[in-house]
Amino acid sequence: MLLRGAVNSRVHLLTRNAPIKQLQCLKPRLWSRSVSVSQAPGSDHVRFPGAVNSKFTSQMRFARPSDQATIDTYRVMDSDGVVVDKSWSLDVDNDEVVRWYKDMLTAVSVMDGIMFEAQRQGRLSFYMVSAGEEGIAVGSASALTPDDSVFCQYREQGVFKYRGFTLKDFMSQLFANKDDPGRGRNMPVHYGSQKLKTYTISSPLATQIPQAAGAAYALKLQSLRDPDIPPRVVICYFGEGAASEGDFHAALNVAATRKCPVIFLCRNNGYAISTPTLEQYTGDGIASRGVGYGINTIRVDGNDILAVRAATQEARRLALEDGGRPVLIEAMSYRVSHHSTSDDSFAYRARVEVEDWKRRDNPISRLRKWMELRGIWSEELEKTTRADIRKEVLQAFKEAETEAKPPLSSMFTDIYEELTEEQEEQRRELRRIIEKYPEEYDLHEFDGGIKGL
Amino acid sequence: MALHLPPRICRTLTSRAYSTTVSSPAARLNLPVDYRATPLLHHSATSLFSTPEFAKAKGPTKRINLYQAINSALRSALAESDKVLLFGEDVAFGGVFRCSVDLQTEFGSERVFNTPLTEQGIVGFAIGAAAEGMKPVAEIQFADYVFPAFDQLVNEAAKFRFREGATGANVGGLVVRMPCGAVGHGGLYHSQSPEAVFTHIPGLRVVMPRSPSQAKGLLLSAILESNDPVVFMEPKILYRAAVEHVPVDAYTLPLSKADIIKPGKDVTIISYGQPLYRCSQAIAQAEKDMPGVGVELIDLRTIYPWDRPTILESVRKTGRAIIVHESMQNAGVGAEVAATIQEHAFLSLEAPVKRIAGWSTHSSLLYEPFNVPDVARIYNAIKESLEY
């Protein structure tokens, strides 16, 4: 992009045989932006088009990151579950809070433990746990409406759970059986559901961020045109590592300039696989960047589900204000678990550090303390709930594991809306080969066997 | 192209060494394309309506060039469906090639707008809008600059429907337009034709029109009728040079359907985009020099998924095939076409399938006339194929 100048000069070359009239009417329009900005005598600034409010100074002073105050971390309750934000009040009934708690337990604590083990036993090809980030997922999801669209990265099981993903939905995807909407094409944990307005997860990091901006722009236009469509926002989740990708930069900039009602929610858990944040960036986290893009930004305590919910509720309101605009939330947490089942995190961080975080603070224990202080939870409830969830998870696990795989033809469908002539030929060729060498292929798991191709 | 320039500029151009139209004073084959006389363009409405695809078309026609045809298609699409959005770098004032001129005034800044200068952002944004049911038409200013968006196109747009599966979500409404191809002096980064890198990606449709009437119909198909993401490549050298009669009203032309421009019985030439004009010149000279010889010229139009039956039927008839394209030979479109012909029409072949393409080098400034397939190379290929 360094050679944009060259592009511009190309424009002149390519338009040199344009009708003279066209070129003439082009020029004044381009110039008009800079006509009225000449410096008035004695003015303390010139309205340079690139920074119209900047004033002159005769002091040569570099803006240093170290001079800026570190952005605060908003919390509602402390690590003992005691509310410290006096302005906060519960805006839902107790049952709703208990639901959040159960969703965190189900989607993360219990299911994660069982599936991680299942992968270790070779019954599942891959798994990613999200211990430590349950509060971010469930807390933010609880602040949205079912019509809001969601783009995830991959460590947001709680979002799917809160929006209505059932254990059967999780397990069908994890075991890639015939009930998996992804038709067995995606790795485990790449969930998706259009019924729940939650796009299917893709592995390339940060690609979903500019997509979320475009989706938000579409929702904004649709609501503007049809007053029967209530205003909606898009929420987009990503980790602090993904925020180093060019797509993050592209997305925040395009969302700000096009005024898209999108909430960018960064899960800053301290690590991108083995890379600590010290090697990811040197600025004040991700939040400090939002301001640079002209985006309203907040940093919250990701272990405090009440804070995450409150911040997301306010972000949603802000995102829809004045015709729409993006908001950035940086939710601080700690990745208690390994990155994935393919990772042993003790190769790059001390076991004691992890144990410390596990013991000191986590979103589940913090909400539990809050609920116990309020008298709506107890050791007894905790025990029976955990046991019940465990039973349900194991039941769904068993059913999904033995369910047939999708038909073999799924490898060719949905690439284009219809099969191409070339794909049709290749599908027939694969079938011919399998029929010719039946002993070379095991089709017993696939729905319909060879007939499914 | 030089013929369309005012005389003063014309003189300057022909005296320079870096124009594609420069040829030796003694040249008989490598003459500049005369767009005012080429049979590839419809110089009258009668000619337009005499082709099978336009036979049923009615209504007035207008002589316009390729950028005006693109503009007309975009205007029709924006008027036809309020789902259509048009955006990219410098699109609002009309575009650096004038393709979007006046469209923001007519349809408003919410539907026709500039984006920040970020190709990955433009395509990512378009994918998101398409996922929510819109029909975004994203512009990449030059095909040379599509590579920052490669990840979004390959890993996201192309795989979106596949990975969503039964959820039904898709980005079928997406069209990514980009000017491509040699322009005489575009050097490394204003000349490329990266179509082959997209034809290797299942899930994308890759389209390149050869003329204004083709451009309008194919672009309207891509925007309004295709439910698959389309990469629409516009040969920028034709923006102003190719002028012909085009129906004023909206119409569509089928995707993944080749067009037999000129029937023939002895050799099949398969090409797309601007090289078709050189093929046409080479064919005229070859048929003059070798009386009785008939060369069939086919425009692929959609480069992927391409119309294999039409090409195979032609080669089975002629027994000889030449594929011509501007982008480099190695793993180019010609490789796939040639391999498919060899597999499916082996017994009909009378000569090896020939590929006339850019050499396996970069599109550099001074050497363009020696790199893009010229009339001499195509003429020679016809002769050698027939004499094999």
Side-chain angles (χ1 to χ4, degrees), chain B residues 36-94:
Chain B
R36 286 184 306 188
T38 176
L40 260 62
L41 294 170
H42 297 294
H43 304 292
S44 69
T46 322
S47 152
L48 177 76
F49 293 135
S50 71
T51 57
E53 276 180 348
F54 288 96
K56 284 182 187 156
K58 291 265 179 328
T61 66
K62 200 175 168 188
R63 276 189 85 241
I64 54 173
N65 64 27
L66 186 78
Y67 89 66
Q68 291 163 328
I70 299 288
N71 183 265
S72 168
L74 294 172
R75 180 177 286 105
S76 295
L78 284 157
E80 172 74 25
S81 165
D82 66 3
K83 292 178 178 173
V84 177
L85 306 174
L86 182 65
F87 53 85
E89 294 158 14
D90 306 303
V91 163
F93 87 105

Side-chain angles (χ1 to χ4, degrees), chain A residues 149 181 185 217 225 416-417, chain B residues 82 110 132 162 166 204 228:
Chain A
S149 288
R185 295 161 183 159
Y217 191 74
R225 280 174 201 164
Y416 296 96
E417 190 183 31
Chain B
D82 66 3
E110 266 157 11
E132 289 293 347
F162 191 65
L204 297 180
D228 298 311

